[in-house]
Amino acid sequence: MQFEDMKAKIESGNGFIAALDQSGGSTPKALKGYGIEEDAWTSEEEMFGLIHAMRSRIITSPVFSGEKVLGAILFERTMDGEAGGKPVPQALIERGVVPFIKIDKGLEDEANGVQLMKPNPGLDTLLHRAKALGVFGTKERSVINLANREGIAAVVKQQFEVGQQVLAAGLVPIIEPEVNIKSPERAEADQILLEEILKNLDALPGDDKVMLKLSLPVKAGLFDPLVDHPRVLRVVALSGGFSRSEACVELAKNRGIIASFSRALLNDLRHQMSDEEFNASLGEAIDEIHRASTKKAA
């Protein structure tokens, strides 16, 4: 797949995007969920080796293909690694899966009810390297905990500034201002976020499109104006702490939004499974998430 082929697949394909981008801080929890306890490694390198083996097993599974999985978001170390003896982006592309990379360096402390992204001075170098490896797009995450308009406006402004840096490098950004699903002001935060994103979309220079990764809204259909916006390539949803069944029920209520799940995709996978068991479990998860992404509730 060339860039335009990948763009067409993401824009109109029937499927979802897998999030395989757990960073250093969340890796021990991801490994524990996979059945590997913290005493299984003695260094950060060993820990990253274990999580890379898990991701490689997923990527090379016969059920993980472009038929239902449109794209996969990678951690930087995963992008630089191999799966099945090939560079990971190339291995994905050969399976018909579009590669993305997580680019943020984590979150600042909370202020005004939100957590902005930390500074990322090496971003241009990373974008250039990702582009050379065949990566199509990026993902950057901020968090919104309260319905504070000043805070939410700052999050969206920062996200779009980084997004324009990504576009300038020839990649497509996934802008992810996550609303905490445990927020006591979640519905109000959803509404303010919608308004701030629309402002920034309307002010985007040029004609390039961005993607949006959002928490599933309290009010089904709230993000329809984003789905229909001419500057949005695709809207995807994170599971955000919902179980897979809960996330799929909520996702199916929202027209035009597809999944980009991490925990909800990987929850039932275990290191100890035989390949047959592993592939069957992964296949069930893929099928359920694919249905919720493509067959919407009335």
Side-chain angles (χ1 to χ4, degrees), residues 121-196:
L123 180 56
D124 281 333
T125 301
L126 174 59
L127 295 175
H128 179 76
R129 199 154 53 79
K131 180 76 172 172
L133 287 167
V135 170
F136 171 78
T138 64
K139 191 211 76 164
E140 60 201 55
R141 174 178 172 262
S142 315
V143 172
I144 296 166
N145 293 311
L146 297 172
N148 180 308
R149 185 173 289 274
E150 182 182 350
I152 294 173
V155 158
V156 177
K157 179 174 182 284
Q158 183 192 42
Q159 284 275 348
F160 273 80
E161 285 171 350
V162 174
Q164 288 187 58
Q165 192 175 350
V166 172
L167 288 169
L171 298 162
V172 175
I174 300 178
I175 287 167
E176 183 186 7
E178 174 184 347
V179 174
N180 184 342
I181 65 165
K182 295 185 172 70
S183 169
E185 302 173 356
R186 186 175 149 218
E188 297 91 337
D190 287 344
Q191 182 61 43
I192 297 170
L193 178 62
L194 170 65
E195 293 163 10
E196 292 299 325

Side-chain angles (χ1 to χ4, degrees), residues 17-36:
I17 294 174
L20 306 176
D21 61 335
Q22 299 91 349
S23 58
S26 56
T27 293
K29 188 175 180 181
L31 284 171
K32 186 177 178 68
Y34 187 49
I36 299 177

Side-chain angles (χ1 to χ4, degrees), residues 106-126:
L107 301 169
E108 300 275 23
D109 292 337
E110 183 176 327
N112 290 329
V114 305
Q115 290 176 274
L116 294 168
M117 294 180 286
K118 288 181 177 178
N120 193 353
L123 180 56
D124 281 333
T125 301
L126 174 59

Side-chain angles (χ1 to χ4, degrees), residues 242-295:
F242 284 125
S243 69
R244 183 165 70 240
S245 58
E246 289 170 332
C248 286
V249 167
E250 293 304 311
L251 178 62
K253 297 175 185 175
N254 288 276
R255 171 183 68 80
I257 300 181
I258 63 173
S260 178
F261 293 170
S262 175
R263 277 170 292 180
L265 172 64
L266 310 177
N267 262 355
D268 296 337
L269 302 179
R270 297 293 179 271
H271 169 68
Q272 298 84 355
M273 287 176 165
S274 67
D275 287 345
E276 186 178 1
E277 292 168 331
F278 183 91
N279 294 334
S281 182
L282 180 59
E284 286 174 14
I286 287 172
D287 288 347
E288 185 176 359
I289 296 167
H290 180 265
R291 276 195 304 275
S293 295
T294 58
K295 293 179 170 48

